[in-house]
């Protein structure tokens, strides 16, 4: 199977999984409406999806570093979908939390191994990893549309219909896994690339990614409610805000992958975080329909670094690609959910606008952490991998620092 086709299937599978990360935030307004939950209680549902996922991500990453486990992709996809599908049927807050937590574990199991497989299928290309990440962005973007189409029609009792993407995703990844298994020599998929680990830079990158995650999860949890409040709209205004946030993330991922072919990834990430500060401030303070413009700009600024941080982390820890992937692609995203109840409690005590103001500081902290970080060298086995036939991709020239252009 040509490399591009394998990447397309993996990206589509990634979309089917990440639709459930987006579905949690998309369900919050319906849980508030039907369950009468407070802001803090509703954000606790997001926390349930994040907490176990945060704990499980490093475990699954370490396991995939020791042994390739491609079977995790279809199994974890099904777990992610079943948890969300059952969450609306429980009639109990405790059971809702439990089902959402099951979905979070499925998401946690998926990301480290899927990033390892995508790295192999894409032969270490930044553009290939960007395409894989874009699949997740598309899943995020489709989540509010899917949830609204299903739940607004018949209420939370129709939530079992939300399992459909999981069924599709578990099937889509199978041909790509079989093709990769035939093309990869025994043991090569789990072999550690040559290179020296830069643990200090990896820790800085991880902390910066956590700050980014707090901003994104905070926005994704409350932007639908905030859009209703600031624009005076109803369900359509809330759904539009989430769609713009997630769709902007897809645009940011594409832009980040393209820019990485011309400049240093570290320099690109620094500029993205700095501009995100102004965009988030606009989303919080600018009233009326202009809110949507700043939400889009904030999403682009937050997602330009996303795929680049995954490849940076893998290059900073070339001997632990699974762990690096699990932390940057999954754990740091999930950790952002831990701040959700704090934001919700602050919103209950003051106002939603006041609670969102601290999110402006997070990308500024990310920018500070990236100052002085080096651009890592690409591990030799990936840099030297030959490409033939339909798999050949014109790779861009070596990156240049943005300050020299």
């Amino acid at each position: 199977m040509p490399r591009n086709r394998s990447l397309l299937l993996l990206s589509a599978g990634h979309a089917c999984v990440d639709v459930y990360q987006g579905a949690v935030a998309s369900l919050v307004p319906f849980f508030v409406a039907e369950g009468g939950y407070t802001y803090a209680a509703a954000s606790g549902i997001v926390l349930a999806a994040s907490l176990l996922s945060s704990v499980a991500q490093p475990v699954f990453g370490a396991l995939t570093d020791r042994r390739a486990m491609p079977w995790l992709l279809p199994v974890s996809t099904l777990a992610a979908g079943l948890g969300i599908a059952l969450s609306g049927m429980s009639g109990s807050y405790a059971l809702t939390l439990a089902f959402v937590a099951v979905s979070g574990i499925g998401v946690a199991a998926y990301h480290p191994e899927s990033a390892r497989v995508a790295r192999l299928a894409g032969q270490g290309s930044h553009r290939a990893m960007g395409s894989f990440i874009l699949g997740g962005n598309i899943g995020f973007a489709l989540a509010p549309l899917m949830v609204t189409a299903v739940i607004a029609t018949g209420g939370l009792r129709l939530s079992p219909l939300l399992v459909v993407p999981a069924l599709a995703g578990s099937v889509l990844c199978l041909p790509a896994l079989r093709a990769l298994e035939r093309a990869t020599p025994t043991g090569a998929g789990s072999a550690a690339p040559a290179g020296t680990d830069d643990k200090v830079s990896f820790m800085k990158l991880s902390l910066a990614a956590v700050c980014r995650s707090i901003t994104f999860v905070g926005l994704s949890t409350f932007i639908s409610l905030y859009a209703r409040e600031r624009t005076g709209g109803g369900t359509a205004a809330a759904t539009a805000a989430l769609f713009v946030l997630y769709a902007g993330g897809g645009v940011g991922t594409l832009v980040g992958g393209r820019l990485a072919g011309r400049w240093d990834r570290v320099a690109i990430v620094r500029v993205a975080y700095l501009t995100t500060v102004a965009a988030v401030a606009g989303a919080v303070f600018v009233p009326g329909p202009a809110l949507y413009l700043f939400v889009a700009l904030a999403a682009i600024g937050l997602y330009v670094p996303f795929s680049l941080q995954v490849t940076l982390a893998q290059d900073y820890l070339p001997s632990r690609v699974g762990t690096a992937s699990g932390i940057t692609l999954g754990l740091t995203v999930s950790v952002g959910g831990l701040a959700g109840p704090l934001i919700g409690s602050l919103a209950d005590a003051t106002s939603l606008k006041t609670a969102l103001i601290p999110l402006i500081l997070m990308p500024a902290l990310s920018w500070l952490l990236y100052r002085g970080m080096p651009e890592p060298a690409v591990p030799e086995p990936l840099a030297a991998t030959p490409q033939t036939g339909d798999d050949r991709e014109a790779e861009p020239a070596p990156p240049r620092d943005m300050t020299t252009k």
Side-chain angles (χ1 to χ4, degrees):
M1 179 180 295
R3 186 183 74 175
N4 289 343
R5 193 178 304 169
S6 293
L7 283 169
L8 179 62
L9 291 173
L10 291 171
S11 299
H14 193 191
C16 292
V17 171
D18 275 8
V19 75
Y20 296 109
Q21 291 201 79
V24 177
S26 303
L27 285 167
V28 165
F30 297 100
F31 285 129
V32 170
E34 293 192 31
Y37 301 149
T38 64
Y39 286 142
S43 61
I45 296 173
V46 180
L47 173 63
S50 303
L51 188 58
L52 281 179
S53 181
S54 299
V55 175
Q57 292 276 1
V59 176
F60 285 109
L63 289 174
T64 58
D65 280 333
R66 299 183 64 181
R67 182 171 183 174
M69 294 186 289
W71 53 268
L72 272 178
L73 271 65
V75 171
S76 60
T77 301
L78 289 173
L82 285 173
I84 293 299
L86 295 174
S87 66
M89 296 290 293
S90 65
S92 161
Y93 184 70
L95 283 177
T96 297
L97 293 178
F99 287 133
V100 171
V102 168
S103 179
I105 293 176
V107 171
Y110 176 85
H111 282 102
E113 180 66 3
S114 66
R116 184 194 67 83
V117 171
R119 182 177 172 88
L120 288 174
Q123 301 173 352
S125 164
H126 304 319
R127 188 178 301 175
M129 183 60 71
S131 298
F132 174 71
I133 300 295
L134 178 62
N137 299 150
I138 292 173
F140 263 112
L142 292 177
L145 303 180
M146 178 189 73
V147 169
T148 300
V150 174
I151 306 302
T153 301
L156 290 172
R157 63 183 180 84
L158 294 183
S159 64
L161 295 177
L162 300 178
V163 78
V164 172
L167 298 175
S170 62
V171 173
L172 284 172
C173 67
L174 296 178
L177 293 178
R178 285 196 294 266
L180 188 62
E181 183 181 8
R182 289 193 297 267
T184 305
T186 303
S190 57
T196 303
D197 291 345
D198 184 350
K199 296 180 181 178
V200 173
S201 294
F202 177 76
M203 287 299 298
K204 289 182 178 180
L205 181 149
S206 299
L207 290 173
V210 167
C211 293
R212 173 210 170 273
S213 174
I214 292 173
T215 302
F216 183 76
V217 175
L219 288 175
S220 64
T221 303
F222 295 107
I223 198 63
S224 57
L225 298 171
Y226 192 59
R228 283 182 175 182
E229 179 182 300
R230 298 289 281 178
T231 65
T235 301
T239 301
L242 268 181
F243 178 78
V244 168
L245 181 71
Y246 295 155
V251 174
T253 299
L254 286 175
V255 171
R258 298 295 179 182
L259 292 178
R262 301 187 63 184
W263 294 293
D264 275 359
R265 289 169 290 176
V266 172
I268 295 168
V269 171
R270 283 201 302 264
V271 172
Y273 279 136
L274 194 58
T275 56
T276 301
V277 175
V280 176
V284 173
F285 291 111
V286 176
L291 164 75
Y292 295 104
L293 171 62
F294 285 102
V295 168
L297 294 175
I300 292 171
L302 288 169
Y303 264 92
V304 163
F306 193 46
S307 64
L308 305 187
Q309 286 181 157
V310 175
T311 59
L312 280 169
Q314 292 173 336
D315 292 343
Y316 282 137
L317 286 187
S319 68
R320 295 180 177 88
V321 169
T323 299
S325 303
I327 290 176
T328 53
L329 190 57
L331 174 61
T332 52
V333 175
S334 303
V335 167
L338 303 180
L342 297 177
I343 300 172
S345 298
L346 183 58
D348 288 329
T350 57
S351 68
L352 193 51
K353 179 180 179 180
T354 301
L356 294 178
I357 290 175
L359 300 183
I360 301 171
L361 301 176
M362 293 296 105
L365 292 176
S366 297
W367 173 76
L368 287 173
L369 286 164
Y370 263 89
R371 294 192 65 185
M373 285 174 56
E375 177 74 16
V378 179
E380 188 63 26
L382 289 173
T385 302
Q387 301 171 2
T388 58
D390 293 337
D391 295 348
R392 183 180 291 111
E393 175 185 308
E395 293 293 337
R400 295 178 293 171
D401 192 285
M402 294 182 76
T403 59
T404 62
K405 182 171 175 62

